């Protein structure tokens, strides 16, 4: 719950997709633009091979882990 609060106060949902694009060259859309949850992403299931989705999932996890590491560091500095 604390991490979710930090994420919502510190970042915009688009920060996830922008960071993903900048760091991995993978482009997703924010799910909020498609009547999905505000903190979700939209992935096309029509264009990629199965292995590409595994890579995509790993990259999303990497980005979210970076946000979590930043949150942990912010807690330690207080």
């Amino acid at each position: 719950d604390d991490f979710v609060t930090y994420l919502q106060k510190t970042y915009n949902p688009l920060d996830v997709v922008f960071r993903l694009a900048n760091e991995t060259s993978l482009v997703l859309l924010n799910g909020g633009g498609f009547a999905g949850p505000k903190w979700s992403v939209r992935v096309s299931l029509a264009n990629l091979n199965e292995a590409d989705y595994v890579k995509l999932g790993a990259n999303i996890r990497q980005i979210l882990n970076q946000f979590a590491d930043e949150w942990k560091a912010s807690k330690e500095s207080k």
Side-chain angles (χ1 to χ4, degrees):
D1 289 340
D2 291 341
F3 174 62
V4 171
T5 300
Y6 166 82
L7 200 60
Q8 291 173 340
K9 283 183 177 180
T10 310
Y11 296 101
N12 180 296
L14 290 175
D15 290 332
V16 176
V17 294
F18 287 141
R19 189 179 282 195
L20 186 67
N22 286 330
E23 294 183 15
T24 68
S25 298
L26 295 170
V27 178
L28 298 180
L29 299 172
N30 181 279
F34 295 88
K38 188 175 180 179
W39 283 90
S40 66
V41 294
R42 184 172 172 96
V43 179
S44 170
L45 298 177
N47 304 1
L48 301 175
N49 297 317
E50 187 175 327
D52 294 328
Y53 292 107
V54 173
K55 179 181 175 185
L56 181 59
N59 286 325
I60 292 170
R61 184 177 186 161
Q62 173 189 344
I63 297 300
L64 293 175
N65 282 338
Q66 289 174 5
F67 284 124
D69 290 343
E70 292 167 15
W71 167 66
K72 290 174 189 172
S74 76
K75 286 176 44 174
E76 292 171 1
S77 67
K78 289 183 180 181

